[in-house]
Amino acid sequence: DQLKAERDKLETDYAAANNNFKTLQSSYSALEKNSDESLQSNLSKNRELLAKLEAKEKALAAEQVRLNKLKADFEERSKRVAELEAMMSAKENAMKKLKETLSKALNGFEGKGLTVHQKDGKVYVSMENKLLFNSGSYAVSPEGKKAVVEVGKVLAENPAISVLIEGHTDNDKFTGTVGGVENNWDLSTKRATAIVTIFSENKSIIKQNLTAA
């Protein structure tokens, strides 16, 4: 947006400079004509006109330089705006394609606690506890593992994508240690790493792209 604003301002400055340039050119032509007509009748006036002509010529040359610079700046800004718009469009299309691929791969899990949506240049795959875990557990259910494996297949085909796996829990408090879990913080971490472990079984997924949270 800032680049577009700068480009628009340059365009306005360029138009103003161009009009000024044309005005100077007209003035120069008029003075030149007057100079030729006065040459025979008034030598002193002619010298004055020639001096004005020289000054106008210098101003004209300076305005031409400024005009060329404005034009070059405007073209550079326009090119940069076009490049950024193309990059944003390409990213948006890539995210849309990824969402469609994931939705297709996970079609069989619709209505079972799984959703796929796109927002702010990212694709979110949300799986509810009922699909993945029993209450208080971080052991992935057989049905949940199938869904995670399908997501992993898509990630394997898109090695440039970075993935953040977020673990969540309910609000039920733990009373003591249950199955090696200290509290909900501990449980959410173990759930996230459990999904990372399943992804890691697919050798085509780049492990450095996976982050548990």
Side-chain angles (χ1 to χ4, degrees), residues 19-73:
N19 288 334
N20 193 22
F21 177 79
K22 289 178 180 177
T23 301
L24 284 170
Q25 215 166 26
S26 298
S27 180
Y28 181 90
S29 298
L31 282 169
E32 193 172 41
K33 182 181 179 182
N34 288 337
S35 178
D36 290 337
E37 291 173 353
S38 301
L39 185 61
Q40 301 300 326
S41 59
N42 195 330
L43 185 59
S44 61
K45 186 177 181 181
N46 185 62
R47 285 173 179 168
E48 183 183 339
L49 287 170
L50 285 173
K52 287 182 178 180
L53 271 173
E54 186 178 352
K56 289 286 185 182
E57 196 169 28
K58 288 180 180 178
L60 195 64
E63 193 64 21
Q64 181 67 66
V65 170
R66 193 172 82 90
L67 194 63
N68 290 340
K69 185 178 184 306
L70 281 172
K71 185 178 180 182
D73 288 347

Side-chain angles (χ1 to χ4, degrees), residues 181-204:
V181 178
E182 298 293 333
N183 49 44
N184 277 329
W185 282 105
D186 187 26
L187 177 61
S188 65
T189 303
K190 283 180 165 62
R191 284 180 169 179
T193 53
I195 302 302
V196 170
T197 300
I198 295 174
F199 281 150
S200 298
E201 292 172 2
N202 187 327
K203 303 303 179 185
S204 298

Side-chain angles (χ1 to χ4, degrees), residues 73-92:
D73 288 347
F74 171 70
E75 290 174 349
E76 183 182 347
R77 290 293 194 285
S78 296
K79 181 181 177 183
R80 182 59 179 154
V81 167
E83 287 174 353
L84 288 173
E85 286 178 338
M87 288 169 61
M88 289 168 67
S89 178
K91 182 180 178 182
E92 184 67 20

